[in-house]
Amino acid sequence: MKISFHGAARSVTGSRHVVDAGKTRILLDCGMFQGRRDLARERNQHLGFDPKSVNAVCLSHAHIDHSGALPMLAKGKFKGNVHMTSATADLTEILLADSARIQESDCRYVNKLERRRGRKCISPIYSSDDAQKIVKQFQGAGYTQAVSLATNVTARFHDAGHIIGSSAIWLQHRNRGNSTSLLFSGDLGRANMPILRDPSPPPPCDVLIIESTYGDRLHRDEEDRRKDIAKQLVQHAIQHKSKIIVPAFSVGRTQDIIMRIKALVKNGEVDPIPIFIDSPLALKATKVFRQHPECYDKDTYRTFTATGDVFAAKYIKFVSTAKDSKLLNRRKGPCVIISASGMCEGGRVVHHLKHAIENEDNVIVLVGFQAEHTLGRKLVEEWDTVPIFGKPTRRRAQVVRLNGFSAHADRNDLLAYVRAIHPLPQKVFVVHGEERQSLAFAMTLRDEFPGMEVEVPKPDSTHDM
Ligand SMILES: [Zn+2]
């Protein structure tokens, strides 16, 4: 077995790992790089391998940093199947269509500005057509079902508890009576998250590729603090007629926030104020949630069967059309606008930020991980001036960081995951973390499991097993 790491190696986005198992080439994830526009363009246009050389793809989950470059495979004449769980297939289909559409519309917007400045126009890296083509190659599977990728290569998907349909991917290569197995964690979730089941125990493997987004951090249980902040935010919004802008992934995080707000209102801890979910994608995602109750935890399943819709409430409005989204720009607070993308790199939230950021009464609430060089990261770091659609913009709105919505395992969760593998893998590759996080987690693993070979692969490096 040979593994090459073409993304999410000493970084968090663009998850792409090529596994050569004998004559079969398997691609694990085909994610999009996010970050500085020019660098991201370069890394998304050039995957690091020839799509035609890949026999099959296995996708861990629908998030764009894991799936967003799949249309580049169709563009590069990849003819094989893309395997994933059925819920991931449904979610990825809508996320890719959305990604292509966002790129097309962002390009139009940027090009309008570039033309005015007399600069060269850019084109989207892939089209809606490319996205539709690759979706036709999707194959949905059930959790733990054996999927044959080639005569001597089998895959299984194990619940990763990260977003709906998410999985850790187990591969087995059989060769003349010997077999080598590999487990790719994908993104690992945490125990007790709303809606989802806890991650499944990992199967035995010889080689482990594990994420390390929070490889050096522990999530504190700050439920009480979060509730206090939520209460203060609502009071502030009512008093100052503020808009509270919450950039969030349309899938997973948005549903998570809705469930938590509903619980606060139900318990009388906050007054209901209008909450706009400004995302056609969130609507579509909710549909996917309804279609896949096999992914729910027991509580959600019970509520779902009792009420039919776990996300509905009078004060929650889903905004679908662009016209209604624009009307929100003129709307006075108090209100909450939850909109994508989560790292503020595109989508409707950038327009909401543009209209809200210069007013000191407004609040931007960041709930997710913000990768380096993204607008979200600049907001977390409280820059006074941030670029919005390429234009330096004064930030007067307050920024509030609300932790605890992370759908990622922390250091101890990751460690417990490795500890649960019997027998322990001989070799571990630490990926999907900023360099400091990955190196720190690798150190922790070496301390904890002497004798285990632990490596933090460099981008585009290849390793023989
Ligand atoms: Zn993810």
Side-chain angles (χ1 to χ4, degrees):
M1 223 182 236
K2 225 163 65 175
I3 310 175
S4 309
F5 299 89
H6 293 292
R10 304 195 177 211
S11 66
V12 276
T13 67
S15 177
R16 297 168 200 162
H17 313 304
V18 171
V19 177
D20 286 303
K23 284 185 178 137
T24 310
R25 172 166 275 195
I26 296 132
L27 172 63
L28 299 172
D29 286 355
C30 193
M32 183 178 277
F33 272 90
Q34 290 158 315
R36 249 180 44 217
R37 199 182 283 269
D38 48 347
L39 185 71
R41 254 186 99 74
E42 165 65 26
R43 302 282 335 212
N44 288 324
Q45 273 170 330
H46 303 104
L47 297 176
F49 52 88
D50 178 5
K52 288 198 289 295
S53 70
V54 175
N55 299 98
V57 181
C58 291
L59 178 64
S60 65
H61 64 291
H63 277 152
I64 278 302
D65 59 324
H66 294 257
S67 71
L70 281 170
M72 293 304 286
L73 297 179
K75 209 174 165 178
K77 310 248 180 315
F78 161 71
K79 298 289 178 216
N81 288 326
V82 186
H83 301 274
M84 63 200 87
T85 64
S86 304
T88 298
D90 288 343
L91 259 191
T92 307
E93 176 174 356
I94 60 173
L95 285 184
L96 290 184
D98 190 68
S99 164
R101 193 192 49 76
I102 286 176
Q103 285 183 63
E104 285 164 352
S105 78
D106 279 358
C107 265
R108 273 197 299 276
Y109 196 90
V110 169
N111 285 343
K112 207 164 86 185
L113 298 174
E114 296 288 285
R115 261 195 299 274
R116 262 188 229 149
R117 293 176 192 144
R119 292 208 292 240
K120 233 172 70 192
C121 289
I122 52 166
S123 55
I125 58 156
Y126 57 75
S127 64
S128 298
D129 269 3
D130 298 319
Q132 279 165 18
K133 264 186 215 153
I134 198 71
V135 166
K136 294 203 177 92
Q137 288 159 260
F138 284 8
Q139 294 281 329
Y143 281 118
T144 71
Q145 180 193 325
V147 178
S148 173
L149 305 181
T151 45
N152 56 353
V153 184
T154 305
R156 277 180 215 272
F157 299 91
H158 294 265
D159 200 338
H162 169 64
I163 61 164
I164 198 159
S166 66
S167 61
I169 301 165
W170 182 83
L171 288 180
Q172 187 190 46
H173 175 222
R174 295 168 304 279
N175 187 20
R176 294 191 198 111
N178 291 321
S179 84
T180 311
S181 58
L182 177 152
L183 181 67
F184 169 46
S185 73
D187 284 358
L188 287 172
R190 306 159 66 186
N192 304 318
M193 292 208 326
I195 309 163
L196 303 175
R197 286 191 297 263
D198 297 351
S200 296
C205 59
D206 302 308
V207 182
L208 172 69
I209 304 175
I210 190 163
E211 69 125 319
S212 58
T213 316
Y214 291 110
D216 193 21
R217 272 177 255 177
L218 295 177
H219 300 314
R220 274 172 300 179
D221 186 16
E222 295 181 322
E223 199 59 40
D224 290 341
R225 196 185 137 262
R226 276 196 295 277
K227 278 186 188 167
D228 286 345
I229 294 177
K231 280 185 226 171
Q232 284 165 20
L233 281 172
V234 172
Q235 279 157 8
H236 172 91
I238 293 171
Q239 211 174 350
H240 299 274
K241 297 198 170 13
S242 317
K243 280 180 171 176
I244 300 176
I245 311 286
V246 188
F249 288 119
S250 299
V251 178
R253 180 106 1 97
T254 294
Q255 285 79 10
D256 184 332
I257 295 168
I258 297 172
M259 297 290 269
R260 288 174 197 244
I261 293 174
K262 275 187 73 181
L264 285 174
V265 173
K266 194 177 159 207
N267 298 337
E269 293 182 74
V270 299
D271 292 324
I273 61 172
I275 296 169
F276 297 97
I277 319 294
D278 182 20
S279 160
L281 200 58
L283 248 182
K284 289 181 193 158
T286 308
K287 227 184 238 173
V288 176
F289 273 82
R290 282 203 198 98
Q291 285 162 350
H292 293 282
E294 79 277 9
C295 299
Y296 293 175
D297 63 11
K298 276 190 195 136
D299 282 353
T300 311
Y301 193 81
R302 220 174 291 132
T303 316
F304 180 76
T305 46
T307 65
D309 186 358
V310 292
F311 306 106
K314 269 190 192 138
Y315 50 90
I316 296 173
K317 293 184 179 64
F318 284 85
V319 178
S320 183
T321 66
K323 191 175 149 231
D324 289 343
S325 174
K326 280 181 192 149
L327 285 177
L328 291 178
N329 294 334
R330 275 187 272 144
R331 196 195 153 92
K332 296 254 178 320
C335 68
V336 178
I337 300 173
I338 304 173
S339 189
S341 73
M343 296 192 204
C344 315
E345 279 302 278
R348 290 182 179 178
V349 80
V350 189
H351 293 272
H352 293 306
L353 288 171
K354 186 179 146 194
H355 285 88
I357 200 167
E358 291 179 291
N359 182 337
E360 62 189 19
D361 287 332
N362 294 335
V363 185
I364 301 162
V365 180
L366 295 160
V367 291
F369 181 82
Q370 306 297 330
E372 273 179 317
H373 309 300
T374 60
L375 175 54
R377 181 66 158 253
K378 293 179 176 97
L379 290 170
V380 167
E381 290 172 354
E382 301 196 29
W383 290 25
D384 289 333
T385 304
V386 293
I388 295 188
F389 293 121
K391 189 180 153 210
T393 310
R394 228 3 240 289
R395 179 190 62 82
R396 292 195 179 85
Q398 287 180 58
V399 173
V400 172
R401 185 89 206 259
L402 257 192
N403 293 324
F405 286 86
S406 175
H408 278 278
D410 69 7
R411 190 197 66 193
N412 286 355
D413 299 325
L414 292 170
L415 206 52
Y417 191 79
V418 179
R419 205 178 285 126
I421 304 175
H422 297 295
L424 282 169
Q426 294 129 31
K427 176 105 196 175
V428 178
F429 292 101
V430 179
V431 298
H432 199 286
E434 280 172 7
E435 195 168 38
R436 196 167 51 88
Q437 298 293 322
S438 298
L439 292 172
F441 186 60
M443 287 278 278
T444 305
L445 285 177
R446 288 184 198 112
D447 285 349
E448 189 84 4
F449 310 106
M452 182 189 273
E453 214 183 311
V454 183
E455 206 155 332
V456 182
K458 295 209 165 102
D460 298 311
S461 62
T462 299
H463 304 256
D464 278 309
M465 293 305 104

